[in-house]
Structure formats: structure tokens, C-alpha cells
Amino acid sequence: MSQHKYEMMFIADPSLDERALKKLSEQFLEIVTKAGGTIDKTDYWGRRKLAYEIEDNTEGNYAVINYSCEPSVSDELDRVMNLSESVIRTKILRKDSK
């Protein structure tokens, strides 16, 4: 199977400080790197106001990460992130075309 490029954005619990947010990100990104994928860029936007309330939160910690891996690895990453209580919302987009 070939690797594809992805962009993932997730919004984490606003009570997390920057160090906790980075640690949470590293746990997720380990799924990608252990499966032979690569992390291309990590960008932490910090705490921002949400467009609408999600799970009683009006703010969230934003992180945007570009990575490359096989589709099954990205699916597993999405599954694990959705199970995390620290993650309010996730979105993964495939960046390359077929």
C-alpha cells in the first residue's frame, strides 16, 4: 500500500495547558510513526473561542498536524482520537489526490 498525505485538526479540552496538549498530540502521532508514517508539520494554535458550544465548552485548544501514512493507519488514528475524553472534535482531510 502507498502512503498518503493528511491534514488533521483537533480541538482539545480548554483546561489543558500547552505541555499537556503537546503530550496528547505526541500520543496520537505515535500511532502514525510506529506504523512507518511520518509527521511533516505540527502547529499549535492555542486556546481559541469555538464558533458554537461543544459539550458545554465555549473554547478549545487547537492543533493542526500534517502527516503521511497508509489509509488504515489514519483510520486507526481517527478512531483513537474519537475515544479520547480530552478531544472535543477532530477532522482529518486527505491532502493528495488519487
Side-chain angles (χ1 to χ4, degrees):
M1 273 206 155
S2 62
Q3 291 196 351
H4 298 289
K5 292 186 178 295
Y6 296 91
E7 180 177 84
M8 168 182 69
M9 172 188 265
F10 73 91
I11 305 171
D13 188 320
S15 66
L16 296 177
D17 63 15
E18 189 174 339
R19 190 168 59 220
L21 179 64
K22 286 184 178 180
K23 185 174 185 205
L24 182 66
S25 299
E26 287 166 7
Q27 289 171 349
F28 295 141
L29 298 178
E30 199 173 297
I31 294 167
V32 174
T33 55
K34 278 189 172 179
T38 58
I39 308 307
D40 304 319
K41 183 180 175 191
T42 306
D43 194 10
Y44 297 103
W45 293 3
R47 188 180 299 172
R48 300 212 173 172
K49 187 167 175 45
L50 300 174
Y52 52 90
E53 192 173 292
I54 303 172
E55 298 172 14
D56 298 327
N57 291 298
T58 56
E59 291 184 330
N61 276 307
Y62 284 71
V64 179
I65 299 163
N66 292 1
Y67 63 95
S68 301
C69 66
E70 293 182 7
S72 61
V73 177
S74 198
D75 292 344
E76 174 64 7
L77 176 62
D78 194 38
R79 186 187 74 78
V80 170
M81 290 182 71
N82 283 311
L83 291 173
S84 172
E85 291 181 7
S86 298
V87 176
I88 299 171
R89 185 73 87 234
T90 67
K91 185 70 173 177
I92 297 178
L93 300 173
R94 191 164 143 195
K95 299 302 283 180
D96 55 2
S97 56
K98 289 185 178 180

